[in-house]
mmCIF file of all heavy atoms in Angstrom:
data_model
loop_
_atom_site.group_PDB
_atom_site.id
_atom_site.type_symbol
_atom_site.label_atom_id
_atom_site.label_comp_id
_atom_site.label_asym_id
_atom_site.label_seq_id
_atom_site.Cartn_x
_atom_site.Cartn_y
_atom_site.Cartn_z
ATOM 1 N N THR A 1243 3.946 14.263 11.130
ATOM 2 C CA THR A 1243 4.380 15.341 12.019
ATOM 3 C C THR A 1243 3.359 16.475 12.108
ATOM 4 O O THR A 1243 3.082 16.954 13.213
ATOM 5 C CB THR A 1243 5.778 15.853 11.627
ATOM 6 O OG1 THR A 1243 6.714 14.777 11.821
ATOM 7 C CG2 THR A 1243 6.200 17.035 12.474
ATOM 8 N N ARG A 1253 -2.246 12.045 19.189
ATOM 9 C CA ARG A 1253 -1.772 10.864 19.928
ATOM 10 C C ARG A 1253 -1.359 9.745 18.971
ATOM 11 O O ARG A 1253 -0.373 9.050 19.200
ATOM 12 C CB ARG A 1253 -2.823 10.369 20.908
ATOM 13 C CG ARG A 1253 -3.031 11.304 22.075
ATOM 14 C CD ARG A 1253 -4.010 10.726 23.090
ATOM 15 N NE ARG A 1253 -4.494 11.718 24.015
ATOM 16 C CZ ARG A 1253 -3.808 12.185 25.053
ATOM 17 N NH1 ARG A 1253 -2.605 11.748 25.290
ATOM 18 N NH2 ARG A 1253 -4.340 13.098 25.850
ATOM 19 N N VAL A 1258 3.035 6.680 15.899
ATOM 20 C CA VAL A 1258 3.713 6.365 14.630
ATOM 21 C C VAL A 1258 5.172 6.796 14.707
ATOM 22 O O VAL A 1258 6.085 6.040 14.361
ATOM 23 C CB VAL A 1258 3.012 7.053 13.434
ATOM 24 C CG1 VAL A 1258 3.847 6.917 12.153
ATOM 25 C CG2 VAL A 1258 1.617 6.484 13.222
ATOM 26 N N THR A 1272 13.116 12.012 17.011
ATOM 27 C CA THR A 1272 13.389 12.949 18.099
ATOM 28 C C THR A 1272 13.198 14.391 17.638
ATOM 29 O O THR A 1272 12.570 15.195 18.336
ATOM 30 C CB THR A 1272 14.824 12.730 18.637
ATOM 31 O OG1 THR A 1272 14.916 11.390 19.131
ATOM 32 C CG2 THR A 1272 15.160 13.705 19.740
ATOM 33 N N ILE A 1297 12.702 6.543 23.149
ATOM 34 C CA ILE A 1297 13.639 6.545 22.027
ATOM 35 C C ILE A 1297 15.064 6.760 22.529
ATOM 36 O O ILE A 1297 15.993 6.089 22.080
ATOM 37 C CB ILE A 1297 13.224 7.614 20.989
ATOM 38 C CG1 ILE A 1297 11.896 7.219 20.326
ATOM 39 C CG2 ILE A 1297 14.319 7.812 19.947
ATOM 40 C CD1 ILE A 1297 11.245 8.316 19.516
ATOM 41 N N ARG A 1318 41.105 -11.411 22.041
ATOM 42 C CA ARG A 1318 40.919 -12.230 23.238
ATOM 43 C C ARG A 1318 41.665 -11.563 24.380
ATOM 44 O O ARG A 1318 42.683 -10.910 24.158
ATOM 45 C CB ARG A 1318 41.469 -13.629 23.015
ATOM 46 C CG ARG A 1318 40.675 -14.415 22.011
ATOM 47 C CD ARG A 1318 41.165 -15.862 21.980
ATOM 48 N NE ARG A 1318 40.408 -16.591 21.010
ATOM 49 C CZ ARG A 1318 40.846 -16.914 19.795
ATOM 50 N NH1 ARG A 1318 42.055 -16.589 19.426
ATOM 51 N NH2 ARG A 1318 40.081 -17.567 18.963
ATOM 52 N N ALA A 1331 51.694 -3.478 50.856
ATOM 53 C CA ALA A 1331 50.387 -3.812 51.422
ATOM 54 C C ALA A 1331 49.397 -2.743 50.997
ATOM 55 O O ALA A 1331 49.624 -1.561 51.187
ATOM 56 C CB ALA A 1331 50.474 -3.903 52.934
#
Side-chain angles (χ1 to χ4, degrees):
T1243 296
R1253 290 184 195 282
V1258 171
T1272 299
I1297 293 168
R1318 292 188 181 103

